[in-house]
Structures are given as structure tokens and as C-alpha cells.
């Protein structure tokens, strides 16, 4: 089978410095020596692919701090950012040392058809793409914090876990007739009865008696949780 189409595309440029005109008028954003990352999302983009892309931008050895051809080994943004400031050269300090510019670039998922037509069949919806771009920037920040400010990263992770726990409490348990259609059970079965109990597995095979017995216990336990929650 052919590999799945990519959900995120990146074009990464190593730069001595870079400036970007943001509003097409007079507002500029600039960075010193560093990396410019052009990013685009297709309809197949997922949160995990976005995390992987963020790690790639920060972790791949794109940069050298010397001049081209002097034999300096390439290093990653994270590696360079972790370098103690007293170990940087005078030139690095004068340059502001390091920068990262992220540019949304929807055209990375276009396809040239003939000599005059461009197709955007797999391009992400504009509003969804804007949300994914924000997620990508957030993942970059989180990944940097893990390496540069681990205490802060741990505190952020604890806050996220607590927020998820509270949201789960507010939502309550899944109704028993939905238990096998969501979460880790999702896509595990092919058909259900009127009470949401599985009749066949994902391949259409009738469930064995032992499997049904186990699933009935799980659904019964979920029914108790649901009754307790709705009685509040």
C-alpha cells in the first residue's frame, strides 16, 4: 500500500538574518541568524503530526555558527539555545545569537496541473489551518520549555492535566450505550444492538461467547457509573 499523504509540510531555511513584511505596508518582523520555517497543513493533519513537525524544526541540525565551509558541525536550534552564554563567540553575541521565524505557507500543498493551473485539493480549511498554526507555535514553545526551562514545562503539563481532569468531571462518564463507540473502543466493532452492545468485531466477525461475557461486565459497570452521575 502507498504511504499515507503527509498532513504537515515544512520548508526550512537557514539564514544569516531575515525580515518579513507582516501587514503588506510597514510592519516588519525580524530575526538574527537562525531558521525560517514555512509550514502548511493538509486535511490529513493531526495533533501528533504537528508535534512531530515542531520537534523536527527545533531538533534537526540545520545551523552552524561559523562561516560556510569552515568545517563547523551543524547543530540544532535546541542545542544552540542550550549553549551557555559565556560559551558563545563575540560574533554570536553581536548577532543576537539565535532566532526562529515561522511563516504560514498554504501553497506548500498546491499541485501544478498542466502549465497554467494550480490545484489545492487537499488544502486545509482556512479557519482550521489558522487553529493548527496556533497549535504548531504552541508546540514549539512547549518543546523549547522542555529543554530550556524544565521546571516551567512540568508546571505547564500539570496545569493541562488538571484542566483535562476537571473537564472530564464536568462532562461525566460516557453513557453505557456509547461506551464501545468512543475512546479506546472506537472503531473496534462493526455493529451493535439497540443498547449499544457490540455484535461483531471490526472485520464483521460475530463475537465469541467469552468476549461477549467480558464486554457485558464492562457495560454493566459503566451503567452503574452513569446512574450514579445522573442521580446527582
Amino acid at each position: 500500500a502507498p504511504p499515507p499523504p503527509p498532513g504537515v509540510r515544512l520548508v526550512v531555511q537557514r539564514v544569516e538574518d531575515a525580515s518579513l513584511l507582516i501587514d503588506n505596508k510597514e510592519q516588519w518582523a525580524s530575526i538574527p541568524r537562525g531558521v525560517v520555517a514555512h509550514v502548511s497543513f493538509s486535511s490529513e493533519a493531526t495533533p501528533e503530526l504537528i508535534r512531530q513537525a515542531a520537534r523536527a524544526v527545533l531538533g534537526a541540525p540545520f545551523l552552524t555558527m561559523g562561516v560556510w565551509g569552515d568545517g563547523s558541525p551543524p547543530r540544532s536550534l535546541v542545542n544552540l539555545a542550550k549553549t551557555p552564554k559565556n560559551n558563545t563567540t563575540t560574533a554570536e553575541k553581536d548577532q543576537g545569537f539565535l532566532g526562529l521565524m515561522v511563516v504560514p505557507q498554504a501553497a506548500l500543498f498546491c499541485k501544478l496541473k498542466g502549465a497554467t493551473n494550480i490545484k489545492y485539493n487537499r488544502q486545509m480549511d482556512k479557519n482550521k489551518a489558522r487553529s493548527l498554526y496556533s497549535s504548531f507555535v504552541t508546540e514549539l514553545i512547549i518543546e523549547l520549555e522542555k529543554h530550556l526551562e524544565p521546571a516551567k514545562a512540568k508546571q505547564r503539563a500539570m496545569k493541562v492535566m488538571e484542566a483535562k481532569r476537571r473537564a472530564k468531571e464536568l462532562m461525566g462518564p460516557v453513557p453505557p450505550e456509547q461506551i464501545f463507540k468512543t475512546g479506546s473502543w472506537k472503531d473496534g466493532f462493526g455493529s451493535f444492538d439497540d443498547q449499544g452492545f457490540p455484535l461483531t468485531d471490526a472485520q464483521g466477525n460475530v463475537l465469541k461467547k467469552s468476549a461477549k461475557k467480558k464486554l457485558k461486565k464492562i457495560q454493566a459497570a459503566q451503567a452503574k457509573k452513569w446512574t450514579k452521575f445522573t442521580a446527582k
Side-chain angles (χ1 to χ4, degrees):
V8 182
R9 278 184 177 164
L10 287 165
V11 174
V12 180
Q13 296 175 281
R14 178 175 61 184
V15 296
E16 290 296 321
D17 58 74
S19 296
L20 178 69
L21 183 60
I22 296 175
D23 60 356
N24 290 325
K25 293 181 181 179
E26 57 185 8
Q27 186 180 358
W28 290 84
S30 301
I31 61 169
R33 177 181 290 196
V35 165
V36 176
H38 302 265
V39 62
S40 185
F41 309 101
S42 78
S43 54
E44 291 87 7
T46 65
E48 179 55 31
L49 287 175
I50 290 172
R51 280 190 287 272
Q52 291 176 11
R55 294 190 194 111
V57 169
L58 296 173
F62 295 122
L63 284 166
T64 61
M65 299 311 290
V67 296
W68 182 259
D70 68 355
S72 300
R75 298 166 66 186
S76 69
L77 280 167
V78 164
N79 182 277
L80 285 166
K82 290 168 70 174
T83 302
K85 292 296 183 287
N86 57 357
N87 287 350
T88 59
T89 67
T90 301
E92 290 168 356
K93 291 174 181 176
D94 290 343
Q95 292 169 356
F97 187 43
L98 204 60
L100 171 62
M101 180 180 288
V102 182
V103 183
Q105 195 74 55
L108 293 181
F109 271 103
C110 72
K111 185 176 182 180
L112 188 64
K113 188 173 183 179
T116 58
N117 293 318
I118 297 177
K119 299 294 184 181
Y120 296 90
N121 296 335
R122 293 175 46 236
Q123 193 175 64
M124 174 69 73
D125 170 79
K126 185 175 181 180
N127 291 329
K128 291 181 180 178
R130 185 179 288 112
S131 176
L132 290 179
Y133 174 80
S134 296
S135 297
F136 178 65
V137 172
T138 298
E139 289 296 337
L140 288 169
I141 294 170
I142 290 172
E143 190 67 16
L144 277 173
E145 283 183 348
K146 287 180 184 177
H147 293 278
L148 305 181
E149 300 181 87
K152 188 175 181 179
K154 185 177 180 180
Q155 187 178 35
R156 179 197 287 268
M158 290 176 67
K159 286 182 178 180
V160 170
M161 289 178 63
E162 178 63 15
K164 288 181 178 179
R165 186 188 67 78
R166 290 181 180 177
K168 189 174 181 180
E169 285 183 355
L170 290 173
M171 291 175 62
V174 177
E177 63 271 17
Q178 293 294 323
I179 182 67
F180 298 118
K181 300 178 182 180
T182 59
S184 60
W185 296 101
K186 188 178 181 181
D187 301 326
F189 303 102
S191 60
F192 306 85
D193 64 16
D194 293 340
Q195 301 301 314
F197 188 80
L199 300 176
T200 59
D201 62 20
Q203 287 72 44
N205 302 310
V206 176
L207 296 178
K208 294 181 179 179
K209 190 174 181 179
S210 57
K212 288 183 178 180
K213 185 177 180 181
K214 178 181 178 181
L215 295 175
K216 283 181 179 178
K217 288 183 179 180
I218 293 172
Q219 193 176 48
Q222 190 69 13
K224 289 182 179 179
K225 292 180 183 178
W226 180 250
T227 299
K228 184 177 180 181
F229 174 74
T230 54
K232 292 181 179 179

